[in-house]
Amino acid sequence: MELIKQFIDIFLHLDKHLFDIVQEYGTLTYVILFLIVFTETGLVIMPLLPGDSLLFAAGAIAANESTGLNVWLIIIILIIAALLGDNVNYFMGKKFGGEIKKRERILFLKREYLEKTEAFYEKHGGSTVIMARFIPIVRTVAPFVAGAGSMTYSKYITFCVIGALLWVPSLTLLGYFFGNMDIVKKNFELVIFGIIGFSILPMLFGYLKSKFSKPSAA
């Protein structure tokens, strides 16, 4: 229970914790940010690490001149981290996706999830990879499913790069330009909840749509 409380505290006060990290580790903060983004995007078993909120907080911290962090260097490093993570995830899906199809489930990955996501890929094409980049949890699972499914790497990597180039700069610069406003600093928890809420809206909409469309489909 104490571990959960610590995780929630870190999640909601990323700005303060990142500032403490910068004060203690200096330029090694770049490495720490890289590892967090790489893990969140690259390991399908770690979907709950902060993603959108971390980018926003990193931008806000970089705007504080006393930290010595360069926002453009952060953006470049985290784009690389996101791309490397996605590639690891894709090839893990390529290697282990067949095992999931043979079984009902492996860990929390059900064969049903794989089949539904493959159908979504077939319907929406490569744009699915871009859309998934902005949705927590889905962002972690989508590359794995793309590798396990029928999407070729040449097609996947194109949309993967586009997604990373849209995701990292947009949220990092949002934090850079607005994160240090007094109203944002005083209500950082609400801002984080807002970012999370906005991020899961597509997932919530999709769930409600599928739930209420079942009677008519039947």
Side-chain angles (χ1 to χ4, degrees), residues 95-146:
K95 182 174 179 61
F96 300 109
E99 291 300 315
I100 298 176
K101 291 180 180 179
K102 293 177 185 176
R103 307 179 190 181
E104 201 58 40
R105 69 183 299 161
I106 293 180
L107 296 178
F108 67 90
L109 285 176
K110 290 185 179 181
R111 185 174 61 196
E112 176 190 359
Y113 298 162
L114 186 62
E115 292 170 349
K116 285 184 176 180
T117 309
E118 282 184 334
F120 192 84
Y121 271 122
E122 289 177 7
K123 181 178 180 181
H124 297 282
S127 60
T128 303
V129 179
I130 299 175
M131 290 187 290
R133 180 70 75 178
F134 292 86
I135 307 174
I137 300 178
V138 177
R139 173 170 54 245
T140 306
V141 177
F144 184 90
V145 175

Side-chain angles (χ1 to χ4, degrees), residues 56-106:
F56 183 88
I61 292 298
N64 188 330
E65 293 182 359
S66 67
T67 63
L69 297 182
N70 184 293
V71 68
W72 299 110
L73 184 55
I74 288 175
I75 288 173
I76 292 171
I77 287 173
L78 297 190
I79 286 175
I80 294 171
L83 289 175
L84 288 177
D86 279 356
N87 275 270
V88 168
N89 217 340
Y90 177 90
F91 286 107
M92 284 179 65
K94 206 81 171 172
K95 182 174 179 61
F96 300 109
E99 291 300 315
I100 298 176
K101 291 180 180 179
K102 293 177 185 176
R103 307 179 190 181
E104 201 58 40
R105 69 183 299 161
I106 293 180

